[in-house]
Amino acid sequence: MANVPTEDTTGTDPDPDDYFEEEYDVTAAEAGEFLVELGEQLQSGEGDLTITGGDWELDFAYGDAVELEVEYVSGPDGELEVEVELSAAGDESPPSLG
């Protein structure tokens, strides 16, 4: 289970039949720990993962289709964004939230 590295949430409880989004400001170490926990679930190959935060829990059965996006901007306001999109189990088309 991957635990979001803070209990301070401002959103609502996620509804598995609805849309849920939450952002967290955490340290690099906390983000790393979360990503390792999430990565271990993906590496297990079991096709299910669980993410928890505060008083909510998301369970997701995923397929093999994964979209991995890396975005980098250099300069004084530079940033690096890494995004992983998983498709639902049984849906082998490329995932898309947009």
Side-chain angles (χ1 to χ4, degrees), residues 16 22 27 41 57 89:
E22 197 69 52
T27 66
Q41 290 185 75
E57 180 174 296

Side-chain angles (χ1 to χ4, degrees), residues 46-48 60-64 86-92:
E46 294 178 11
D48 295 302
F60 187 74
Y62 60 90
D64 285 334
L86 304 170
S87 61
D91 180 8
E92 296 307 317

Side-chain angles (χ1 to χ4, degrees), residues 8-68:
D8 183 22
T9 62
T10 56
T12 59
D13 291 340
D15 179 347
D17 297 324
D18 203 1
Y19 177 82
F20 174 75
E21 181 176 314
E22 197 69 52
E23 290 187 18
Y24 298 90
D25 292 322
V26 297
T27 66
E30 290 169 327
E33 183 178 341
F34 172 76
L35 291 171
V36 166
E37 291 170 357
L38 187 62
E40 287 173 347
Q41 290 185 75
L42 292 171
Q43 283 182 322
S44 77
E46 294 178 11
D48 295 302
L49 58 84
T50 302
I51 300 174
T52 62
D55 58 353
W56 56 265
E57 180 174 296
L58 291 173
D59 296 309
F60 187 74
Y62 60 90
D64 285 334
V66 176
E67 181 180 315
L68 178 61

